[in-house]
Amino acid sequence: MSSALASTATFLDRIGRARAVMAERGVDVLLLSVGSDLPYLSGYEAMPLERLTMLVVPRDGEATLVIPRLEAPRVAEQPGVFSLRPWNETDDPVGIVAELAGTPAVAAVGDTMWARFLVDLLGHWPTSGTRYVRSVEVMNALRTRKDAAEIAALQAAGAAADRVAAQLHAGEIALVGRTEAQVSADISARLIAEGHDVVNFAIVAAGENAASPHHHAGDRVIRAGEIVLTDFGGTMAGYCSDITRCVFTGEPTAEVAEAYAVLHEAQAAGVRAGVVGAACQDVDRAARAVIADAGYGEYFIHRTGHGIGMEAHEDPYMVEGNDQPIEAGHAFSVEPGIYVAGKWGMRLEDIVVATDAGPLSMNHANHALVTIA
Ligand code: ZN
Ligand code: ZN
Ligand code: ZN
């Protein structure tokens, strides 16, 4: 159960806004199952299992949560938001959904709904000419604009991740002589100890491995005199953290220190560009310009950032070509990197929320390339 912080009033407001978008876009019914859209609108997270759970939201008329009878006791009822329609083991749940949905001209289906549910549903509407769109068309405008409670949740998750980064900087997480995988397990345990419910990832990449942005921590032993990239995050009360810090096991070489100074300035430039009214791609351009001007352009091989919220990666994306305007409440990472294959890599990442008063960072851990003895 993820949205512990939301109340029935919050869900009523959200479902009302979803219906307004449905009306605007001519969507007759919204069908949500496995994934984050369902808990965002209802507070209930579907078990990711073969038995069908689906929230049927007609544009007009009451929403219904179709749910396996054995899961029904887990539902926190939200009067006025949805009614429950439990189904028994011998019922046809897809038929129940089809009946509740009627014969929609346009149905918006959950982006992460399983194909098996949609394919079965298609069989119930073989000749109706229903057009399908992705739920993102309805939900994106809602979910990308974080409200005050969501921002508070992102802040709390960010602060918990910061505490683990501070432990890394203080030398409390032993590095030299341990494998990347051991350090990754250590960081994961600390994320939980600091309040996360689950760990989503804990990348630890030493030396030349740091040149692979999504390196999988392995049995490479960390040595003295090299860079160690750590990128970790989890979910806390339904919202995600995500932070990257690099440390050096000794005094950084001049080459690494020089590149790191550029990276640090690039990350700051990206954050400064994350203002309401700018385009998402402006964040990428600002960070990339600093790196390119210093001659490292070819070594920055990914976009600058991704949206974050109930999911670790969600809209909006800070990437060239995305001219979507940044709005108050947009939450996203700013994480430029420099990767020299076969030698070393580095990335610096904070989560930022755009506000009318300017970019607000969810992370405050030291930005320096700290030396760990
Ligand atoms: Zn990250
Ligand atoms: Zn990230
Ligand atoms: Zn800084």
Side-chain angles (χ1 to χ4, degrees):
M1 195 86 60
S2 47
S3 291
L5 29 95
S7 65
T8 298
T10 302
F11 298 127
L12 276 173
D13 172 62
R14 287 175 180 174
I15 221 157
R17 286 189 288 139
R19 285 202 166 100
V21 179
M22 288 167 75
E24 209 173 278
R25 306 211 160 201
V27 172
D28 300 303
V29 67
L30 175 63
L31 302 172
L32 301 177
S33 182
V34 178
S36 299
D37 288 338
L38 176 56
Y40 180 84
L41 278 193
S42 71
Y44 182 74
E45 190 169 351
M47 293 286 280
L49 295 174
E50 78 291 355
R51 291 188 182 95
L52 178 142
T53 298
M54 200 171 291
L55 182 69
V56 181
V57 187
R59 190 170 59 206
D60 314 297
E62 202 187 3
T64 306
L65 184 62
V66 178
I67 188 168
R69 186 168 295 283
L70 77 165
E71 310 288 358
R74 295 176 59 237
V75 178
E77 296 207 41
Q78 306 290 345
V81 181
F82 59 83
S83 63
L84 271 189
R85 174 64 172 89
W87 57 272
N88 300 312
E89 297 284 34
T90 55
D91 289 342
D92 167 23
V94 174
I96 294 169
V97 168
E99 200 179 310
L100 288 165
T103 45
V106 180
V109 296
D111 277 40
T112 51
M113 174 194 296
W114 286 355
R116 63 185 298 162
F117 299 148
L118 180 59
V119 168
D120 287 352
L121 261 169
L122 291 173
H124 280 266
W125 291 319
T127 55
S128 67
T130 298
R131 190 164 67 83
Y132 297 89
V133 297
R134 288 168 49 196
S135 64
V136 68
E137 296 209 9
V138 173
M139 301 300 293
N140 200 23
L142 279 70
R143 284 194 42 201
T144 55
R145 274 185 238 133
K146 272 69 180 177
D147 64 26
E150 292 183 288
I151 294 169
L154 286 168
Q155 251 162 344
D162 279 351
R163 291 194 291 275
V164 178
Q167 292 160 18
L168 174 72
H169 287 147
E172 291 167 23
I173 302 175
L175 298 175
V176 176
R178 294 169 93 195
T179 66
E180 294 169 340
Q182 286 171 326
V183 175
S184 175
D186 192 341
I187 288 173
S188 298
R190 289 166 188 264
L191 283 169
I192 297 293
E194 295 298 340
H196 286 83
D197 301 306
V198 289
V199 174
N200 295 328
F201 50 86
I203 296 170
V204 176
E208 73 288 347
N209 283 346
S212 169
H214 277 175
H215 175 69
H216 185 80
D219 36 18
R220 159 81 153 77
V221 174
I222 298 168
R223 301 186 289 261
E226 63 185 10
I227 199 161
V228 180
L229 183 156
T230 66
D231 180 354
F232 49 88
T235 306
M236 187 166 137
Y239 285 80
C240 293
S241 65
D242 184 2
I243 185 172
T244 306
R245 290 294 185 269
C246 294
V247 295
F248 207 91
T249 52
E251 275 307 310
T253 61
E255 181 190 42
V256 165
E258 194 185 296
Y260 193 86
V262 172
L263 177 70
H264 188 181
E265 174 48 31
Q267 202 273 342
V271 172
R272 283 195 303 270
V275 295
V276 172
C280 290
Q281 66 186 359
D282 294 340
V283 172
D284 185 82
R285 287 176 177 177
R288 199 169 301 277
V290 173
I291 290 174
D293 288 352
Y296 297 98
E298 66 181 292
Y299 304 115
F300 180 13
I301 55 175
H302 55 69
R303 67 188 176 212
T304 294
H306 54 81
I308 187 168
M310 296 175 80
E311 293 174 69
H313 286 193
E314 58 182 46
D315 281 307
Y317 292 94
M318 304 293 131
V319 62
E320 179 66 35
N322 186 4
D323 58 4
Q324 178 188 356
I326 295 174
E327 296 174 56
H330 277 183
F332 49 88
S333 71
V334 179
E335 51 177 308
I338 301 174
Y339 309 95
V340 182
K343 294 180 79 180
W344 48 261
M346 54 179 63
R347 177 163 69 252
L348 179 59
E349 172 180 31
D350 286 338
I351 302 305
V352 170
V353 175
T355 78
D356 289 321
L360 180 66
S361 188
M362 303 291 105
N363 296 106
H364 305 284
N366 190 351
H367 278 178
L369 181 64
V370 174
T371 288
I372 307 294

